[in-house]
Amino acid sequence: MQATNRQIRLARRPVGPVRPEDWSLVEEPVGALPEGSFLGRTRFLSLDPAMRGWLDDRPSYLPPVGLGQVMRAGSVVEVVESAHPDFRVGEFVTGTFGVQEYAVSDGRGTHKVDPALAPLPTYLGALGMPGMTAYFGLLEVGALREGETVVVSGAAGAVGSLVGQIARIKGCRVVGIAGGPDKCAWLTDELGFDAAIDYRTEDVRRALRAHAPDGIDVYFDNVGGEILDAALTRLALHARVVVCGAISQYNNEQSVQGPANYLSLLVRRARMEGFVVFDHAARYREAAKEMAGWIAEGRLTAREHLVRAGIEAFPETLQMLFSGANTGKLVLELP
């Protein structure tokens, strides 16, 4: 295929917040297609807080993105050329194709998706990694039981908004922590949360005492830092703290701020457990089927925050995650 592929590559490892000069925009021709592979044109790119961790050269659940490499990202591509018997032109496929306009794949680690069943961006949100993270983090790691009180931080984000809704579907009381009145109103008025706390204007500890008077049974943590510390002071007996992320700490130039109130785990006989969604990969299909059913029944709302721009907008769009500018799943839609 005669086309130019534009890619975003890691130019240097960021210290603190990611800056424009940490990236390079590279153009290269799309080469001949090897037998047994297909060429996909990127339609939708997933932007996730975990991307920040992938840029640091330190041990983690995935190796860091190498200097000069295409930035790692999940995406939905449209097959535009195929030399693979199982992939036809016009089909849509999800996979970790990276931040680039075109990707060549042999099909391993990919999944076909049907836009007639759900909008394509939803396969990067509720029916993608954020949905799987919310589902298994809450139900398996959090061991949720009907009638419990659930508090989730980063509640207006891709994962947090789904955690709260799943908890409501399972018959629990849900309190979300988010930034700004619009996000808090969305949580209570549209998603059915019982209460929302605006961490920018409210005293989180005091608000948790008001909205979770009998304590927190499951705290689903997406932000870490001071909000995690506040939640630890309100744990119920045998509570579970699910460590999903710590977005408040990702851009730290100093050491990560650990919890000062961790002895609450001892006093309340609670547990605090981290998890990586990939550990549950064998059950993704099961979870996606149930999530899709909830969406079809109108019990679960899948919201994507779409930014329609070219691949060069990736660095700027990524910053929305760390400034709190997005509501729901952040997706870059390429023209």
Side-chain angles (χ1 to χ4, degrees), residues 67-127:
L67 291 174
Q69 289 184 348
V70 175
M71 177 58 191
R72 180 185 296 135
S75 58
V76 176
V77 303
E78 180 182 1
V79 179
V80 293
E81 185 177 342
S82 182
H84 194 299
D86 297 330
F87 295 87
R88 296 180 298 175
V89 172
E91 292 182 321
F92 293 93
V93 183
T94 61
T96 307
F97 297 112
V99 184
Q100 55 184 339
E101 293 178 332
Y102 291 92
V104 176
S105 172
D106 61 7
R108 286 181 291 184
T110 70
H111 301 278
K112 293 182 185 179
V113 294
D114 188 349
L117 299 179
L120 290 173
T122 302
Y123 291 104
L124 298 176
L127 299 181

Side-chain angles (χ1 to χ4, degrees), residues 46-226:
S46 177
L47 290 92
D48 303 282
M51 287 176 157
R52 178 62 187 84
W54 300 341
L55 305 180
D56 294 330
D57 190 9
R58 61 187 179 190
S60 186
Y61 59 92
L62 286 175
V65 176
L67 291 174
Q69 289 184 348
V70 175
M71 177 58 191
R72 180 185 296 135
S75 58
V76 176
V77 303
E78 180 182 1
V79 179
V80 293
E81 185 177 342
S82 182
H84 194 299
D86 297 330
F87 295 87
R88 296 180 298 175
V89 172
E91 292 182 321
F92 293 93
V93 183
T94 61
T96 307
F97 297 112
V99 184
Q100 55 184 339
E101 293 178 332
Y102 291 92
V104 176
S105 172
D106 61 7
R108 286 181 291 184
T110 70
H111 301 278
K112 293 182 185 179
V113 294
D114 188 349
L117 299 179
L120 290 173
T122 302
Y123 291 104
L124 298 176
L127 299 181
M129 284 303 103
M132 302 302 100
T133 301
Y135 185 95
F136 291 109
L138 181 64
L139 301 182
E140 296 294 321
V141 182
L144 186 68
R145 295 187 288 268
E146 184 178 356
E148 293 189 317
T149 295
V150 176
V151 175
V152 54
S153 60
V159 174
S161 61
L162 297 171
V163 167
Q165 291 183 83
I166 295 171
R168 288 291 292 149
I169 290 170
K170 296 295 183 179
C172 294
R173 173 174 174 77
V174 183
V175 180
I177 304 174
D182 291 342
K183 289 184 177 182
C184 288
W186 179 60
L187 296 178
T188 56
D189 299 348
E190 295 188 39
L191 301 190
F193 283 49
D194 295 284
I197 299 169
D198 185 349
Y199 71 84
R200 293 178 178 172
T201 60
E202 297 184 64
D203 183 314
V204 174
R205 293 194 188 195
R206 183 179 300 168
L208 285 173
R209 287 197 296 271
H211 295 304
D214 298 323
I216 301 167
D217 296 296
V218 178
Y219 174 58
F220 197 104
D221 186 35
N222 289 304
V223 303
E226 294 180 359

